[in-house]
Amino acid sequence: MHPTKKGIILMNLGSPDSTSVKDVQKYLKEFLMDERVIDVPYFFRLLLIKGIIVPFRAPKSAEAYKTIWTDAGSPLIVLTQQLKEAVQQHIQMPVAVAMRYGNPSPEAAYQSLLDQNPDLEEVLLFPLYPHYAMSSYETAVEYMKEVHQKMNYKFKLKTIKPYYNHPEYIQALANSIQPYLQQEYDHILFSYHGIPERHIRKSDTTGFHCLQVKDCCNVPSVAHQTCYRHQVFETTKLVTEALQIPKEKFSISFQSRLGKGWLLPFTDKRLEEMPAQGIKKLLILCPAFVSDCLETLEEIAERGKESFMEAGGESYTTIPCLNTQPLWIAAISKWVNDYKMGEKNMLLS
């Protein structure tokens, strides 16, 4: 039994339980019915998701999952569990894993910590999302709070803030990119997960800054605390500065769009355009994800490569997510140990 009365939950997006169409349908319904993912009135969302999107998309998604599935299961689940085990080696507090959608559930994660210490007094939620977005970080945090309140747990719940600009996160990300810079390349594409522009406006705590002020992401504002667009720009700026990558050698795009009005430019379109613009040798990474998953392994590493090469590309290299990279494990472990010791510089919300 752990002597401490604190526990840690690492929370990631989630995955279907298997590649069967039935399990993928179940997962997609839970994911897409989230009002922070598709923010339209409930009845319309119900008709859209269960009547149109899921029946059409589930079989295709199931086939996509089959291309990345491992003997141990979903890469995202396996990698998150491996991260948990690695972090556990460096801290004295019990660590559990939760997924926003699918398994293991928040209830299972809370119970795992209670099983290890029935006298648990405080839980630190560590969302595995570096950037704030209502459809990722926000929904994960709010769901964990909702379950915590509903189950009437006696222990307190605290949360790590987005760490998109934290020096140790930047150092870990830069370190993961560094080896790939030794090869010949024309350009580096930072492909972030896309979100609708309306989500940027909804998350603007001032109500008048994001996508309304000229060059809004570079004009100082408290709105940046919850602005996904600003935060991904800042991550890219800090990492490329740390690696001394010239501005003309990198750019940003957004992937995985669903519908119109999403952040531009689109990754899939850029991959088709780049070879004609003289970019024949490409490095690509997805910093919005810390664990490789369907969006990185199938959408980018497989379909993205196919598009780029068919358009005239010569080489296409996908840089893996942080996964269980040593500096990433060290960063999480340090932040958690600082929290245990009551350090004031922790990223606590």
Side-chain angles (χ1 to χ4, degrees), residues 175-222:
N175 186 260
S176 73
I177 299 169
Q178 180 69 58
Y180 296 88
L181 302 182
Q182 310 311 311
Q183 68 186 64
E184 186 181 352
Y185 70 94
D186 296 325
H187 198 80
I188 304 175
L189 184 61
F190 288 76
S191 176
Y192 290 91
H193 198 288
I195 63 172
E197 289 186 353
R198 67 178 182 275
H199 284 199
I200 300 293
R201 295 187 181 93
K202 280 189 173 184
S203 298
D204 182 354
T205 52
T206 70
F208 55 77
H209 183 82
C210 295
L211 301 179
Q212 298 183 67
V213 171
K214 183 179 179 181
D215 199 23
C216 55
C217 286
N218 292 314
V219 176
S221 172
V222 294

Side-chain angles (χ1 to χ4, degrees), residues 93-109:
M93 292 168 278
V95 185
V97 165
M99 296 293 157
R100 174 58 183 90
Y101 314 103
N103 296 304
S105 66
E107 292 90 341

Side-chain angles (χ1 to χ4, degrees), residues 112-326:
S112 173
L113 295 181
L114 285 169
D115 288 344
Q116 294 176 75
N117 188 351
D119 297 323
L120 195 66
E121 292 181 351
E122 196 167 276
V123 168
L124 176 64
L125 174 63
F126 196 114
L128 294 172
Y129 303 101
H131 313 90
Y132 190 101
M134 59 183 282
S135 55
S136 58
Y137 180 93
E138 182 181 300
T139 188
V141 171
E142 293 305 316
Y143 188 45
M144 289 299 287
K145 288 179 179 178
E146 181 184 315
V147 173
H148 179 263
Q149 186 176 18
K150 181 179 72 174
M151 300 299 289
N152 199 28
Y153 292 119
K154 294 181 180 179
F155 53 80
K156 296 178 182 177
L157 179 64
K158 293 189 176 181
T159 306
I160 290 281
K161 294 178 183 177
Y163 37 89
Y164 65 96
N165 61 352
H166 195 285
E168 282 145 355
Y169 164 69
I170 296 299
Q171 183 184 10
L173 187 55
N175 186 260
S176 73
I177 299 169
Q178 180 69 58
Y180 296 88
L181 302 182
Q182 310 311 311
Q183 68 186 64
E184 186 181 352
Y185 70 94
D186 296 325
H187 198 80
I188 304 175
L189 184 61
F190 288 76
S191 176
Y192 290 91
H193 198 288
I195 63 172
E197 289 186 353
R198 67 178 182 275
H199 284 199
I200 300 293
R201 295 187 181 93
K202 280 189 173 184
S203 298
D204 182 354
T205 52
T206 70
F208 55 77
H209 183 82
C210 295
L211 301 179
Q212 298 183 67
V213 171
K214 183 179 179 181
D215 199 23
C216 55
C217 286
N218 292 314
V219 176
S221 172
V222 294
H224 292 169
Q225 295 175 11
T226 54
C227 179
Y228 179 74
R229 188 169 178 265
H230 163 79
Q231 293 181 10
V232 302
F233 286 172
E234 191 68 11
T235 293
T236 309
K237 173 178 173 288
L238 293 172
V239 169
T240 53
E241 287 178 350
L243 292 169
Q244 297 184 320
I245 300 171
K247 289 185 178 180
E248 67 273 11
K249 293 282 279 187
F250 70 88
S251 59
I252 292 172
S253 62
F254 298 93
Q255 65 185 87
S256 312
R257 70 184 188 277
L258 183 64
K260 298 179 180 179
W262 285 50
L263 291 176
L264 294 168
F266 300 140
T267 297
D268 57 350
K269 297 299 182 184
R270 290 296 296 130
L271 293 177
E272 294 172 357
E273 297 165 350
M274 283 180 163
Q277 298 168 349
I279 298 172
K280 304 284 189 177
K281 297 174 178 153
L282 184 68
L283 301 179
I284 185 168
L285 67 152
C286 308
F289 303 93
V290 298
S291 305
D292 274 305
C293 56
L294 186 72
E295 286 83 355
T296 66
L297 298 172
E298 192 272 338
E299 180 182 357
I300 297 301
E302 292 182 8
R303 283 192 284 130
K305 181 177 183 179
E306 183 179 347
S307 295
F308 182 77
M309 300 302 280
E310 285 183 354
E314 295 175 5
S315 70
Y316 180 98
T317 302
T318 306
I319 300 174
C321 294
L322 289 174
N323 295 327
T324 54
Q325 202 246 21

Side-chain angles (χ1 to χ4, degrees), residues 42-78:
Y42 176 80
F43 183 69
F44 182 68
R45 188 165 72 250
L46 186 69
L47 290 177
L48 182 66
I49 303 308
K50 296 188 177 181
I52 300 173
I53 295 179
V54 170
F56 175 76
R57 192 168 176 175
K60 292 185 177 181
S61 293
E63 289 303 312
Y65 274 110
K66 286 177 184 177
T67 69
I68 67 163
W69 214 258
T70 71
D71 291 341
S74 163
L76 181 139
I77 304 293
V78 172

